[in-house]
Amino acid sequence: MTKLVIFDLDGTLLNTISDLGEACNYALQTNGFPSHQLSEYPAMVGNGVNNLILRSLPPESRSMEEVMHIKPDFIHYYNTHNRIHTSPYLGIVDVLKQLKLWNIRLAVASNKYNEATQALIRYYFGDDMFDVILGERLGVERKPNPQIIYDIFATPSIKGCTPEETLYVGDSDVDMQTAHNARLTAIGCTWGFCTRENLLDNHPDFIAEQPSDILSFIQK
């Protein structure tokens, strides 16, 4: 029986790529670096803001020192412009509401920095949709390290759920690896930032072509 479904955020619940790309372009241009087409950003996201900025820099300038220099510009811009183009994927809200009707607990596990993760989830889905919301936090390794999943299981509102009773839904290789590392059933969604082939290469247990497919994998 499924008791818990854990969702990735970017590319799974919300289409955030344009706002992320524009924030990164702002930070790059502010610091004298060339910007990118927004269509290039899906290949750069998924491993947290530091890696996004690192990948966006010219090869000769890629260093963590440079990342930390321009990161404040990214954070400042993104915190004030992260709802311009972002929206939930079509059908995802209906799926979440149905899961709630089935008394299945819901959680978010994201590599987006925690401040933005919390703000975006509460803005687009309200305060009561998810039982636990966790983003990237200082001192906690990012996905695919499974620590964020362990932290979800340790939350009082989630206690009593087991990995065998949990589905993990994500759009990337990082998500599939996270699910496997935490011994969860992995659902790869094809509407996000990665290709279907990339998902298949990382051995999802199921593929969801549209959000409503998630409901068919629920064991009641």
Side-chain angles (χ1 to χ4, degrees):
M1 182 172 68
T2 302
K3 292 185 177 179
L4 169 65
V5 182
I6 302 173
F7 290 87
D8 172 52
L9 174 55
D10 299 273
T12 302
L13 293 171
L14 295 176
N15 186 350
T16 57
I17 199 67
S18 292
D19 286 333
L20 285 169
E22 289 184 356
C24 202
N25 280 344
Y26 171 83
L28 291 169
Q29 292 169 340
T30 299
N31 290 275
F33 293 108
S35 60
H36 300 273
Q37 296 294 318
L38 295 182
S39 60
E40 298 177 64
Y41 277 102
M44 302 185 202
V45 299
N47 296 94
V49 64
N50 288 356
N51 283 303
L52 168 58
I53 295 170
L54 186 68
R55 292 163 181 164
S56 73
L57 286 165
E60 66 276 9
S61 300
R62 288 177 186 166
S63 69
M64 288 312 299
E65 181 180 4
E66 194 64 68
V67 168
M68 300 315 292
H69 176 70
I70 72 174
K71 182 178 178 179
D73 293 313
F74 176 97
I75 297 294
H76 170 73
Y77 187 94
Y78 190 68
N79 281 349
T80 54
H81 296 80
N82 59 24
R83 302 170 189 171
I84 306 301
H85 307 291
T86 291
S87 63
Y89 286 99
L90 183 65
I92 199 70
V93 173
D94 291 335
V95 168
L96 297 175
K97 288 179 178 178
Q98 185 60 59
L99 293 173
K100 295 290 280 187
L101 287 175
W102 287 344
N103 293 315
I104 292 172
R105 279 168 276 189
L106 304 178
V108 173
S110 178
N111 275 345
K112 183 188 291 292
Y113 60 99
N114 197 49
E115 178 186 1
T117 297
Q118 298 284 337
L120 287 171
I121 288 294
R122 297 185 192 284
Y123 179 80
Y124 285 102
F125 302 106
D127 293 330
D128 301 322
M129 184 69 80
F130 289 94
D131 298 276
V132 185
I133 305 165
L134 292 180
E136 181 186 33
R137 294 155 294 148
L138 186 64
V140 179
E141 289 196 48
R142 292 184 296 273
K143 299 182 299 182
N145 186 290
Q147 185 58 52
I148 192 171
I149 306 300
Y150 301 153
D151 291 343
I152 287 172
F153 280 124
T155 304
S157 61
I158 298 299
K159 282 187 176 178
C161 298
T162 67
E164 293 76 19
E165 299 166 326
T166 302
L167 303 182
Y168 181 100
V169 183
D171 71 303
S172 71
D173 52 352
V174 171
D175 291 312
M176 299 304 95
Q177 294 161 17
T178 302
H180 295 320
N181 290 341
R183 301 183 182 277
L184 309 180
T185 298
I187 298 178
C189 60
T190 61
W191 56 83
F193 303 153
C194 289
T195 65
R196 196 175 194 277
E197 291 70 25
N198 182 274
L199 287 171
L200 290 173
D201 286 345
N202 286 274
H203 311 295
D205 295 291
F206 303 104
I207 285 286
E209 305 287 355
Q210 55 191 3
S212 60
D213 290 342
I214 296 168
L215 302 176
S216 66
F217 307 133
I218 301 294
Q219 297 178 1
K220 294 184 287 184

